[in-house]
Amino acid sequence: MIKRLLFLLIAIFSLAAGLEAETVKAEGKVTYLTADQVYVDIGSDVGVAVGDTLLVFRRNEELGPVVITNVARKSSVCQSLIPVEVFQLGDRVVLEKEAVPEPTPVEEVVEPTIEAAKPSKRQDRILSQRGNASARYSMSSFSGGDQSARGIASLRYGLVLTSPFRSDIWLYGRGNLTESDFTLYQARFTVGDRRGKFYLQLGRIFAPELAGIGATDGVMLTSQMASALSVGALGGFQPDPLRLSFDSKVKKVGAFVKFKQRTPSGSLDAVLSGVGQYAGKDVDREFIYGRLSGDYFNRKITFSIYETVDFYRGDSPANRGTVTPTSSQFSVGIRPWKGLSIRSRYSDRRQIIYQVSGSTLPDSLFEDALRSGWYNSIRLSHDAFGSIQAGFNLRQQSDSDDRSELYLVNYRSNASAKGQIFDVGGSYLQNLLITGARGQLGFSAPAGKKMDLYAQYELFSYGYGNSVSDYRQHTISASLNWRIMKYLRGSLSLDYSKDEEFSIFYIYMGLNWRI
């Protein structure tokens, strides 16, 4: 009951703070992933800016929000507000925000922002807010006759107070209202300036300084000791890894030191942190996380190195049974000229359980091949033809001397005069378990003055072993969104998947209130 009242109070509060403004809408795809960053193919040419919040979708399922920290004309780099492991290449990103006066065009902004979107400068108010609240009804039907229904609600809300001192509240959660099941993925209160002498976070913390350690329910204090040096400490509890619900069984304490240097030619960031998780004897352990990243020549060259090491505790504090690297990654990017980017990433990462996705079996098999291994991609974009991206990932298999190989290519058109965008892609996978091909065709366009349409067709043809044609799976997704009032939107979405042995049908109907 309390959780439902929380939705109602925020919705009422947002009614009183609405501003008369036009909206900026943009839509794109996830093009590249690192251990703590999400790259997307929309940029300043469609009105996005540093601090904007994007919602990420897979087909018609909302995965979570990301915030733009660096922007170029046709691409952006984002920091995730949830674990990056949730996202996949090709996931759809959507932005809708109030229009603000455009700044002087720049090719790249290198100063990162905080996790939550900042209010626009033109508001100049003591109290401001951002976010949205949505509720939708979901009904699914399976080929065996089984049916289920859910009432899905999500809340994304930020409230910023600038006087007498800066503080803000950030909430993000989703749940099934029919079962009174609601999970707050983030609930955080902050005081102070991240780059100041005092910065306090209280609640659920996803800190970039601790990206390799996961979430913490507790408190973190950060202080900038010098222009290039800051330190911090945290204490609290480890959330439940399956549902991210609060759990007091595992205590968590840690500290970090961060170095940041900026020069006319680029920047260099380094973080070293240590965290201990304690629940008694054998399950006690410590983690060491390190990150080194930099960019040079107006971000024409970027690199990042991550490493997380797990120290397993034995039957006494002085006995460490094993020292295990759990997540390793090296990533480098080169942008020799505008419109061309080349990226290479080697990663061996533990996959963190975050949420159960609606992805089907072959979808999961294809995407899992990109979690670790040596991934290379080249992306070319131009105003005349759109953008094309090609890549491959090679991974050594634990049970065989043969490699797992994945090759993929994707084309995305520029928006036409009527706002229509087409994208088409394909991939080929071969490993010890499966051989298969995947094709995708997508289309989005305005449908009148108040409606937007998105549709996608996906085909898997695969087999277990060397055959590529034992099974076929077709998936059709479509969604229609329309503006009912200035800040209220409705949506209708359909998902249909069919294999030789089963079929699944989903229908979603919902409302979204933009704060």
Coordinates of all heavy atoms in Angstrom, one line a residue, residues 120-182:
S120 N 17.9 21.6 -16.7 CA 18.4 22.5 -17.7 C 18.8 23.9 -17.0 O 18.1 24.3 -16.1 CB 17.4 22.7 -18.8 OG 16.3 23.3 -18.3
K121 N 19.8 24.5 -17.6 CA 20.3 25.8 -17.0 C 19.2 26.9 -17.0 O 19.2 27.8 -16.2 CB 21.5 26.2 -17.7 CG 22.7 25.2 -17.5 CD 23.9 25.7 -18.2 CE 25.1 24.8 -18.0 NZ 26.3 25.2 -18.8
R122 N 18.4 26.8 -18.0 CA 17.4 27.9 -18.2 C 16.4 27.9 -17.1 O 15.7 28.9 -16.9 CB 16.7 27.7 -19.6 CG 15.7 26.6 -19.6 CD 15.1 26.5 -21.0 NE 14.1 25.5 -21.1 CZ 12.8 25.7 -20.9 NH1 12.3 26.8 -20.6 NH2 11.9 24.7 -21.0
Q123 N 16.2 26.8 -16.4 CA 15.2 26.8 -15.3 C 15.6 27.7 -14.2 O 14.8 28.5 -13.7 CB 14.9 25.4 -14.9 CG 14.3 24.6 -16.0 CD 14.1 23.1 -15.5 OE1 14.1 22.8 -14.3 NE2 13.9 22.2 -16.4
D124 N 16.9 27.6 -13.7 CA 17.4 28.5 -12.7 C 16.4 28.5 -11.5 O 16.1 29.6 -11.0 CB 17.7 29.9 -13.2 CG 18.5 30.7 -12.3 OD1 19.2 30.1 -11.5 OD2 18.4 31.9 -12.3
R125 N 16.0 27.3 -11.0 CA 15.1 27.3 -9.9 C 15.7 26.6 -8.7 O 16.7 25.8 -8.9 CB 13.8 26.5 -10.3 CG 13.0 27.2 -11.4 CD 11.7 26.4 -11.7 NE 12.0 25.1 -12.1 CZ 11.1 24.1 -12.2 NH1 9.8 24.4 -11.8 NH2 11.3 22.9 -12.6
I126 N 15.3 26.9 -7.5 CA 15.8 26.2 -6.3 C 15.4 24.8 -6.3 O 16.2 23.9 -5.9 CB 15.3 27.0 -5.1 CG1 15.8 28.4 -5.0 CG2 15.7 26.2 -3.8 CD1 15.3 29.2 -3.9
L127 N 14.2 24.5 -6.7 CA 13.7 23.1 -6.7 C 13.3 22.7 -8.1 O 12.5 23.4 -8.8 CB 12.5 23.0 -5.8 CG 12.0 21.6 -5.5 CD1 13.0 20.7 -4.7 CD2 10.7 21.7 -4.7
S128 N 13.8 21.6 -8.6 CA 13.4 21.1 -9.9 C 13.4 19.5 -9.9 O 13.9 18.9 -9.0 CB 14.4 21.6 -11.0 OG 15.7 21.1 -10.7
Q129 N 12.7 19.0 -10.9 CA 12.5 17.5 -10.9 C 12.5 17.0 -12.3 O 12.2 17.7 -13.2 CB 11.2 17.1 -10.1 CG 10.0 17.8 -10.7 CD 8.7 17.4 -9.9 OE1 8.7 16.5 -9.1 NE2 7.7 18.1 -10.2
R130 N 12.8 15.7 -12.4 CA 12.8 15.0 -13.7 C 12.4 13.6 -13.5 O 12.6 13.0 -12.4 CB 14.2 15.0 -14.3 CG 14.6 16.4 -14.9 CD 13.8 16.7 -16.2 NE 14.2 17.9 -16.8 CZ 13.8 19.1 -16.5 NH1 12.9 19.2 -15.5 NH2 14.2 20.2 -17.1
G131 N 11.9 12.9 -14.6 CA 11.6 11.5 -14.5 C 10.3 11.2 -15.2 O 9.7 12.0 -15.9
N132 N 9.8 10.0 -14.9 CA 8.5 9.6 -15.4 C 8.0 8.4 -14.5 O 8.8 7.7 -13.8 CB 8.5 9.2 -16.8 CG 9.4 8.0 -17.1 OD1 9.2 6.9 -16.5 ND2 10.3 8.1 -18.1
A133 N 6.7 8.3 -14.5 CA 6.0 7.1 -13.8 C 5.1 6.5 -14.9 O 4.4 7.1 -15.6 CB 5.2 7.6 -12.7
S134 N 5.2 5.1 -15.0 CA 4.4 4.4 -15.9 C 3.7 3.2 -15.3 O 4.2 2.6 -14.4 CB 5.2 4.0 -17.1 OG 6.2 3.1 -16.8
A135 N 2.6 2.8 -15.9 CA 1.9 1.6 -15.5 C 1.4 0.9 -16.8 O 0.9 1.6 -17.7 CB 0.8 1.9 -14.5
R136 N 1.5 -0.4 -16.9 CA 1.0 -1.1 -18.1 C 0.6 -2.5 -17.7 O 1.0 -3.1 -16.8 CB 2.1 -1.1 -19.2 CG 3.3 -1.9 -18.9 CD 4.3 -1.9 -20.0 NE 5.5 -2.6 -19.7 CZ 6.4 -3.0 -20.6 NH1 6.2 -2.7 -21.9 NH2 7.5 -3.6 -20.3
Y137 N -0.4 -2.9 -18.5 CA -0.9 -4.3 -18.3 C -0.3 -5.2 -19.4 O -0.2 -4.9 -20.6 CB -2.4 -4.2 -18.5 CG -3.1 -5.6 -18.5 CD1 -3.3 -6.2 -17.3 CD2 -3.5 -6.2 -19.7 CE1 -4.0 -7.4 -17.3 CE2 -4.1 -7.4 -19.7 CZ -4.4 -8.0 -18.5 OH -5.0 -9.3 -18.4
S138 N 0.2 -6.3 -18.9 CA 0.8 -7.3 -19.8 C 0.1 -8.6 -19.7 O -0.1 -9.1 -18.6 CB 2.3 -7.5 -19.3 OG 2.9 -8.6 -20.0
M139 N -0.2 -9.2 -20.9 CA -0.9 -10.5 -21.0 C -0.1 -11.4 -21.9 O 0.3 -10.9 -23.0 CB -2.3 -10.3 -21.5 CG -3.1 -11.7 -21.5 SD -4.8 -11.4 -22.1 CE -4.5 -10.9 -23.8
S140 N 0.2 -12.6 -21.5 CA 1.0 -13.5 -22.3 C 0.2 -14.8 -22.5 O -0.5 -15.2 -21.6 CB 2.4 -13.8 -21.7 OG 2.2 -14.3 -20.4
S141 N 0.4 -15.4 -23.6 CA -0.3 -16.7 -24.0 C 0.7 -17.6 -24.6 O 1.5 -17.2 -25.5 CB -1.4 -16.4 -24.9 OG -2.0 -17.6 -25.3
F142 N 0.8 -18.8 -24.1 CA 1.8 -19.8 -24.6 C 1.0 -20.9 -25.4 O -0.2 -21.1 -25.3 CB 2.5 -20.5 -23.5 CG 3.3 -19.5 -22.7 CD1 2.8 -18.8 -21.6 CD2 4.7 -19.3 -22.9 CE1 3.5 -17.9 -20.9 CE2 5.4 -18.4 -22.2 CZ 4.8 -17.7 -21.2
S143 N 1.8 -21.5 -26.3 CA 1.2 -22.5 -27.2 C 0.5 -23.7 -26.5 O -0.4 -24.3 -27.0 CB 2.2 -23.0 -28.2 OG 3.4 -23.6 -27.5
G144 N 1.0 -24.0 -25.3 CA 0.4 -25.1 -24.6 C -1.0 -24.7 -23.9 O -1.6 -25.6 -23.3
G145 N -1.4 -23.5 -24.0 CA -2.6 -23.1 -23.5 C -2.5 -22.3 -22.2 O -3.5 -21.7 -21.7
D146 N -1.3 -22.2 -21.6 CA -1.1 -21.4 -20.4 C -1.1 -19.9 -20.7 O -0.7 -19.5 -21.7 CB 0.3 -21.8 -19.8 CG 0.4 -23.2 -19.3 OD1 -0.7 -23.8 -19.0 OD2 1.5 -23.8 -19.3
Q147 N -1.7 -19.2 -19.8 CA -1.8 -17.8 -19.9 C -1.4 -17.1 -18.6 O -1.6 -17.7 -17.5 CB -3.2 -17.3 -20.3 CG -3.7 -17.8 -21.7 CD -5.0 -17.2 -22.1 OE1 -5.8 -16.7 -21.2 NE2 -5.3 -17.3 -23.3
S148 N -0.9 -15.9 -18.7 CA -0.6 -15.2 -17.4 C -0.8 -13.7 -17.7 O -0.8 -13.2 -18.8 CB 0.8 -15.4 -17.0 OG 1.8 -15.0 -18.0
A149 N -1.0 -12.9 -16.6 CA -1.2 -11.5 -16.7 C -0.4 -10.8 -15.6 O -0.3 -11.3 -14.5 CB -2.7 -11.1 -16.7
R150 N 0.1 -9.6 -15.9 CA 0.8 -8.8 -14.9 C 0.4 -7.3 -15.1 O 0.2 -6.9 -16.2 CB 2.3 -9.0 -15.1 CG 2.9 -10.4 -14.8 CD 4.4 -10.3 -14.6 NE 5.0 -9.8 -15.8 CZ 6.3 -9.3 -15.8 NH1 7.0 -9.3 -14.7 NH2 6.8 -8.8 -16.9
G151 N 0.5 -6.6 -14.0 CA 0.4 -5.2 -14.0 C 1.8 -4.6 -13.7 O 2.2 -4.7 -12.5
I152 N 2.4 -4.1 -14.7 CA 3.8 -3.7 -14.6 C 3.9 -2.2 -14.3 O 3.3 -1.4 -15.1 CB 4.6 -4.0 -15.8 CG1 4.5 -5.5 -16.1 CG2 6.1 -3.7 -15.7 CD1 5.0 -5.9 -17.5
A153 N 4.6 -1.8 -13.3 CA 4.8 -0.3 -13.0 C 6.2 0.0 -12.9 O 7.1 -0.8 -12.5 CB 4.1 0.0 -11.7
S154 N 6.6 1.2 -13.4 CA 8.0 1.7 -13.2 C 8.0 3.1 -12.8 O 7.1 3.9 -13.2 CB 8.8 1.5 -14.5 OG 8.3 2.3 -15.5
L155 N 9.0 3.5 -12.1 CA 9.1 4.8 -11.6 C 10.6 5.3 -11.7 O 11.5 4.6 -11.3 CB 8.8 4.9 -10.1 CG 9.1 6.2 -9.3 CD1 8.2 7.3 -9.9 CD2 8.9 6.0 -7.8
R156 N 10.8 6.4 -12.4 CA 12.1 7.1 -12.5 C 11.9 8.5 -12.1 O 11.2 9.3 -12.8 CB 12.6 6.9 -13.9 CG 13.9 7.6 -14.2 CD 14.4 7.2 -15.6 NE 13.6 7.7 -16.6 CZ 13.6 8.9 -17.2 NH1 14.5 9.8 -16.8 NH2 12.7 9.2 -18.1
Y157 N 12.5 8.9 -11.0 CA 12.2 10.2 -10.4 C 13.5 10.8 -9.8 O 14.2 10.2 -9.0 CB 11.1 10.1 -9.4 CG 10.8 11.4 -8.7 CD1 10.0 12.3 -9.4 CD2 11.2 11.7 -7.5 CE1 9.7 13.6 -8.9 CE2 10.9 13.0 -6.9 CZ 10.1 13.9 -7.6 OH 9.8 15.1 -7.1
G158 N 13.7 12.1 -10.2 CA 14.8 12.8 -9.6 C 14.4 14.2 -9.1 O 13.7 14.9 -9.8
L159 N 14.7 14.6 -7.9 CA 14.3 15.9 -7.3 C 15.6 16.6 -6.8 O 16.4 16.0 -6.1 CB 13.4 15.7 -6.1 CG 12.9 16.9 -5.4 CD1 12.0 17.8 -6.3 CD2 12.2 16.5 -4.1
V160 N 15.9 17.8 -7.3 CA 17.1 18.5 -7.1 C 16.8 19.8 -6.3 O 16.0 20.6 -6.7 CB 17.9 18.8 -8.4 CG1 19.2 19.6 -8.0 CG2 18.2 17.5 -9.1
L161 N 17.5 20.0 -5.2 CA 17.4 21.2 -4.4 C 18.8 21.9 -4.5 O 19.8 21.3 -4.1 CB 17.1 20.9 -2.9 CG 17.0 22.1 -2.0 CD1 15.8 22.9 -2.3 CD2 16.9 21.6 -0.5
T162 N 18.8 23.2 -4.9 CA 20.1 23.9 -5.1 C 20.4 24.9 -4.0 O 21.5 25.4 -3.9 CB 20.1 24.6 -6.4 OG1 19.0 25.6 -6.4 CG2 19.9 23.7 -7.6
S163 N 19.5 25.2 -3.1 CA 19.7 26.1 -2.0 C 19.0 25.6 -0.7 O 17.8 25.1 -0.9 CB 19.2 27.5 -2.4 OG 19.4 28.4 -1.4
P164 N 19.5 25.8 0.4 CA 20.8 26.5 0.8 C 22.0 25.6 0.5 O 23.1 26.2 0.5 CB 20.6 26.7 2.3 CG 19.8 25.5 2.8 CD 18.8 25.3 1.6
F165 N 21.9 24.4 0.2 CA 23.0 23.5 -0.3 C 22.4 22.5 -1.3 O 21.2 22.2 -1.3 CB 23.7 22.8 0.9 CG 22.7 22.1 1.8 CD1 22.3 20.8 1.5 CD2 22.2 22.7 2.9 CE1 21.4 20.1 2.3 CE2 21.3 22.0 3.7 CZ 20.9 20.7 3.4
R166 N 23.3 22.1 -2.2 CA 22.8 21.2 -3.2 C 22.6 19.8 -2.6 O 23.4 19.2 -1.9 CB 23.9 21.0 -4.3 CG 23.4 20.1 -5.4 CD 24.3 20.0 -6.6 NE 23.8 19.0 -7.6 CZ 23.0 19.3 -8.5 NH1 22.6 20.5 -8.7 NH2 22.6 18.4 -9.4
S167 N 21.4 19.2 -2.9 CA 21.0 17.9 -2.6 C 20.0 17.4 -3.6 O 19.3 18.1 -4.3 CB 20.4 17.8 -1.1 OG 19.2 18.6 -1.1
D168 N 19.9 16.0 -3.7 CA 19.0 15.5 -4.7 C 18.5 14.1 -4.2 O 19.2 13.4 -3.4 CB 19.5 15.5 -6.1 CG 20.7 14.5 -6.3 OD1 20.4 13.3 -6.3 OD2 21.8 14.9 -6.4
I169 N 17.4 13.7 -4.7 CA 16.8 12.4 -4.5 C 16.6 11.7 -5.8 O 16.2 12.3 -6.8 CB 15.4 12.5 -3.8 CG1 15.6 13.1 -2.4 CG2 14.8 11.1 -3.7 CD1 14.3 13.4 -1.7
W170 N 17.1 10.5 -5.9 CA 16.9 9.7 -7.2 C 16.3 8.4 -6.9 O 16.7 7.6 -6.0 CB 18.3 9.5 -7.8 CG 18.2 8.6 -9.0 CD1 18.6 7.3 -9.0 CD2 17.6 8.8 -10.3 NE1 18.4 6.7 -10.2 CE2 17.8 7.6 -11.0 CE3 17.0 9.9 -10.9 CZ2 17.3 7.6 -12.3 CZ3 16.6 9.8 -12.2 CH2 16.7 8.7 -12.9
L171 N 15.2 8.0 -7.6 CA 14.5 6.8 -7.4 C 14.3 6.1 -8.7 O 14.0 6.8 -9.7 CB 13.1 7.0 -6.8 CG 13.0 7.6 -5.4 CD1 11.5 7.9 -5.1 CD2 13.7 6.8 -4.3
Y172 N 14.6 4.8 -8.8 CA 14.2 4.0 -10.0 C 13.8 2.6 -9.6 O 14.6 1.9 -8.9 CB 15.4 3.9 -11.0 CG 15.1 3.0 -12.2 CD1 14.1 3.5 -13.1 CD2 15.7 1.8 -12.3 CE1 13.8 2.6 -14.2 CE2 15.3 1.0 -13.4 CZ 14.4 1.4 -14.3 OH 14.1 0.6 -15.3
G173 N 12.6 2.2 -10.0 CA 12.2 0.9 -9.6 C 11.1 0.4 -10.5 O 10.5 1.2 -11.3
R174 N 10.8 -0.9 -10.5 CA 9.8 -1.5 -11.3 C 9.1 -2.6 -10.4 O 9.7 -3.2 -9.5 CB 10.3 -2.1 -12.5 CG 10.9 -1.1 -13.5 CD 11.3 -1.8 -14.8 NE 12.3 -2.8 -14.6 CZ 12.7 -3.6 -15.6 NH1 12.1 -3.6 -16.8 NH2 13.6 -4.5 -15.4
G175 N 7.9 -3.0 -10.8 CA 7.3 -4.1 -10.1 C 6.0 -4.6 -10.7 O 5.5 -4.0 -11.7
N176 N 5.5 -5.7 -10.1 CA 4.2 -6.3 -10.6 C 3.2 -5.9 -9.6 O 3.1 -6.4 -8.5 CB 4.4 -7.8 -10.6 CG 3.2 -8.5 -11.2 OD1 2.1 -7.9 -11.3 ND2 3.3 -9.8 -11.5
L177 N 2.3 -5.0 -10.0 CA 1.3 -4.5 -9.0 C 0.2 -5.5 -8.7 O -0.4 -5.4 -7.6 CB 0.6 -3.2 -9.6 CG 1.5 -2.0 -9.8 CD1 0.8 -0.8 -10.4 CD2 2.2 -1.6 -8.5
T178 N 0.0 -6.5 -9.6 CA -1.0 -7.5 -9.3 C -0.6 -8.4 -8.1 O -1.5 -9.0 -7.5 CB -1.3 -8.3 -10.5 OG1 -0.1 -8.9 -11.0 CG2 -1.9 -7.5 -11.7
E179 N 0.7 -8.5 -7.9 CA 1.2 -9.3 -6.8 C 1.8 -8.4 -5.7 O 2.5 -9.0 -4.8 CB 2.2 -10.3 -7.3 CG 1.6 -11.2 -8.4 CD 2.7 -12.2 -8.9 OE1 3.8 -12.1 -8.4 OE2 2.3 -13.1 -9.7
S180 N 1.6 -7.1 -5.7 CA 2.2 -6.2 -4.8 C 3.7 -6.4 -4.6 O 4.3 -6.4 -3.6 CB 1.5 -6.4 -3.4 OG 0.2 -6.1 -3.5
D181 N 4.4 -6.6 -5.8 CA 5.8 -6.9 -5.8 C 6.5 -5.7 -6.5 O 6.3 -5.6 -7.7 CB 6.0 -8.2 -6.6 CG 7.5 -8.5 -6.8 OD1 8.3 -7.9 -6.0 OD2 7.8 -9.3 -7.7
F182 N 7.2 -4.9 -5.8 CA 7.9 -3.8 -6.3 C 9.3 -3.7 -5.8 O 9.6 -3.9 -4.6 CB 7.1 -2.5 -5.9 CG 7.7 -1.2 -6.5 CD1 7.4 -0.9 -7.8 CD2 8.6 -0.4 -5.8 CE1 8.0 0.2 -8.4 CE2 9.1 0.7 -6.3 CZ 8.8 1.1 -7.7

